[in-house]
Amino acid sequence: MSSVFKTLGILLFFISASSFANCLSQSADVKLINHSISEGSYRFLAKSDVAKVLDLSDLNFEDYLVQTKQQITALNPRANVPCPVNNYVLNQQNISAPTITDLVKPYQLTHANSDKVVLLIHGLTDSPYSFHDLSAFYHQQGFNVRTVLLPGHGTAAEHLRYVDYNDWRALSAFAIEQSLNDFEQVYLGGFSTGAGLILDYMFTRKSLSPKLSGVMLFAPATKAKNSMSWLAQYIDYVPFLNWLDKDADVDFAKYESFPINAGAQVHHLMSDVYPLAKHHITHNVPMFVAVPEHDMTIDTAATLDLLVQWQRKTPTPLTLVYYGERDNANQLSAFENVKLVTPQCMPKCDDQLQMAHTAIPNAPSNIHYGEHAVYRNCGHYLADAKKYNACKVTPNIPASEKTPLAGEKHTLFQRLSYNPYYSELTNELALFLAK
């Protein structure tokens, strides 16, 4: 009987807590957040059966979009929660009253008379929402835009317990090849794991279509910052040990909880990508890369090393936007085909480099992740409930990458979730695309 009352109590809590809630207001509802952390309310799939990976063999891209949206609606526990976001991407799809499903689903923005496309692949635990700002930019530049939803994403963090990185590779290849078939000029863009998948695609092909006109990589997954991340592949086999982090998952666009299997799978992918010495690369594809010097997720030094190896093997046009001290990336500026841009450090960086891994693709105006957004990334305080709650609601706290220096400098800070130099980024992207 006590379990019945407990279930009834949880049900009544969510009826009262969400009667007037939407995806944005839930981000600052500390009562809801704490309850979600303890109960895992949004951590688990809406259906107990594990979702199967879509069979891509007979799908075209439009069918893929329809079936993926259906899967999100069936499995995301907050799929139908109203999400009052009004932005360019939604307007182009004629979505006037969006739900969370509309914000996390993959989409296509079209130009009737354009034969060029940018295909965008999101990062681990993310969704296509992470590209809403850049999608608007690319579309306004005259490009068709396509996005995908990597298997295990857009539903609930539990889904990542059952995914294999080869599923991500298969979807990436499907979307790339569909785009090469449908358009004459194809650019690929990826954030973090999505960028790693693009590199993996390039490294595992003996030849690439001449339609592939360039790649744009934002904080690409090359090697984990945490030197012990390789252990995830072994810890994942320990019974009853399934999670590295159990957070509230009130971020509608990204999982906050983190299954061990997710770390294991991205480790496998990065092991395939880095170092370049294991690959026989002769592809001369122009590259645009943006990285933060003090990235606490990906080892930026490994990314720079990969780019140096690439330039030595296949000197190809490269634009590197480096959020850090120019001197620390000068090994690349020595190559004549490399354009090095340091927007954060003109003329010199201060002692606290703010750019975070999570920040690069988001504009300051982003309603969910931007400068004046309600949502805050406070996962670095999960072990300290008092600081975690304070981080969620205290007005005007600073934003930074979660570096040790930030912890020393600020009593309380949120992880930076938007790019203060976003206009400089898009200016450089426009120059890259115009070549």
Side-chain angles (χ1 to χ4, degrees):
M1 182 63 72
S2 62
S3 63
V4 173
F5 283 117
K6 181 180 178 183
T7 303
L8 181 61
I10 293 172
L11 180 61
L12 290 173
F13 171 84
F14 279 105
I15 290 173
S16 61
S18 60
S19 295
F20 303 101
N22 60 53
C23 71
L24 301 179
S25 63
Q26 287 179 338
S27 298
D29 186 338
V30 173
K31 184 178 180 182
L32 174 69
I33 287 169
N34 289 330
H35 192 277
S36 299
I37 291 174
S38 62
E39 299 295 328
S41 313
Y42 304 135
R43 196 176 302 140
F44 300 99
L45 296 165
K47 291 184 177 180
S48 57
D49 56 319
V50 176
K52 293 181 180 178
V53 176
L54 292 180
D55 182 0
L56 301 169
S57 54
D58 295 318
L59 292 184
N60 60 33
F61 196 77
E62 288 73 17
D63 292 336
Y64 160 76
L65 294 178
V66 170
Q67 291 193 26
T68 303
K69 182 178 179 180
Q70 291 171 348
Q71 187 179 63
I72 295 166
T73 303
L75 297 177
N76 188 316
R78 293 200 295 163
N80 297 315
V81 171
C83 209
V85 171
N86 178 25
N87 66 23
Y88 183 92
V89 167
L90 294 172
N91 291 338
Q92 289 296 314
Q93 299 174 79
N94 297 314
I95 299 172
S96 57
T99 63
I100 284 179
T101 295
D102 295 314
L103 271 296
V104 301
K105 71 179 179 65
Y107 52 86
Q108 180 171 231
L109 309 181
T110 60
H111 277 291
N113 299 314
S114 174
D115 63 356
K116 55 187 181 180
V117 68
V118 176
L119 171 68
L120 299 169
I121 306 175
H122 67 80
L124 182 63
T125 75
D126 282 323
S127 71
Y129 179 81
S130 64
F131 278 120
H132 271 217
D133 294 332
L134 284 173
S135 291
F137 161 76
Y138 290 126
H139 195 248
Q140 289 163 348
Q141 295 286 311
F143 285 83
N144 294 277
V145 179
R146 285 180 168 179
T147 63
V148 295
L149 181 73
L150 295 177
H153 293 78
T155 54
E158 178 192 22
H159 206 165
L160 285 178
R161 287 182 54 197
Y162 311 108
V163 76
D164 185 281
Y165 83 114
N166 285 306
D167 300 331
W168 301 338
R169 298 172 85 189
L171 176 64
S172 300
F174 162 81
I176 292 169
E177 285 155 18
Q178 285 274 316
S179 298
L180 288 168
N181 184 62
D182 295 342
F183 298 93
E184 292 305 310
Q185 193 175 357
V186 177
Y187 285 85
L188 307 178
F191 171 61
S192 194
T193 296
L197 286 163
I198 290 170
L199 289 171
D200 177 72
Y201 177 88
M202 296 172 69
F203 294 170
T204 53
R205 266 80 185 163
K206 289 183 179 179
S207 62
L208 295 173
S209 168
K211 292 183 179 181
L212 183 55
S213 305
V215 297
M216 295 161 286
L217 311 176
F218 308 97
T222 51
K223 182 181 178 183
K225 183 74 170 181
N226 184 346
S227 61
M228 302 301 288
S229 65
W230 59 274
L231 284 172
Q233 62 185 313
Y234 301 108
I235 297 173
D236 192 40
Y237 291 104
V238 179
F240 312 113
L241 190 58
N242 298 315
W243 299 91
L244 289 176
D245 285 323
K246 293 181 180 180
D247 208 326
D249 293 301
V250 294
D251 182 346
F252 71 81
K254 177 183 177 72
Y255 302 152
E256 296 175 305
S257 297
F258 194 86
I260 290 171
N261 181 59
Q265 298 308 318
V266 78
H267 171 78
H268 290 314
L269 173 65
M270 290 189 293
S271 296
D272 285 351
V273 168
Y274 180 81
L276 192 62
K278 67 177 77 169
H279 304 286
H280 302 288
I281 302 302
T282 56
H283 307 319
N284 189 16
V285 180
M287 299 182 73
F288 181 102
V289 181
V291 293
E293 182 172 32
H294 290 276
D295 191 324
M296 293 304 290
T297 301
I298 297 299
D299 185 349
T300 295
T303 301
L304 296 181
D305 178 56
L306 186 91
L307 295 175
V308 167
Q309 294 177 51
W310 183 285
Q311 284 295 313
R312 285 175 179 160
K313 282 192 171 187
T314 310
T316 186
L318 166 66
T319 297
L320 175 64
V321 177
Y322 187 72
Y323 300 101
E325 291 281 6
R326 187 180 183 89
D327 288 350
N328 295 332
N330 266 344
Q331 68 266 45
L332 275 158
S333 64
F335 294 96
E336 73 175 60
N337 288 325
V338 175
K339 177 184 181 182
L340 177 59
V341 182
T342 52
Q344 189 173 358
C345 300
M346 304 239 182
K348 184 170 176 62
C349 291
D350 58 21
D351 63 347
Q352 175 55 57
L353 297 176
Q354 298 286 323
M355 184 59 73
H357 177 83
T358 47
I360 291 177
N362 300 317
S365 59
N366 189 294
I367 193 170
H368 180 53
Y369 289 131
E371 188 174 7
H372 303 295
V374 173
Y375 174 76
R376 290 181 180 178
N377 184 326
C378 300
H380 47 291
Y381 292 129
L382 262 179
D384 185 333
K386 186 176 179 181
K387 276 196 167 186
Y388 180 93
N389 289 341
C391 173
K392 288 289 185 182
V393 299
T394 303
N396 303 319
I397 64 171
S400 172
E401 177 60 288
K402 54 180 185 179
T403 60
L405 184 57
E408 294 169 11
K409 188 173 182 180
H410 307 297
T411 334
L412 200 65
F413 70 97
Q414 59 179 306
R415 194 179 191 189
L416 185 67
S417 56
Y418 69 92
N419 187 343
Y421 312 95
Y422 182 79
S423 61
E424 289 89 343
L425 177 70
T426 54
N427 287 343
E428 291 300 331
L429 281 168
L431 293 172
F432 175 78
L433 294 168
K435 291 177 181 177

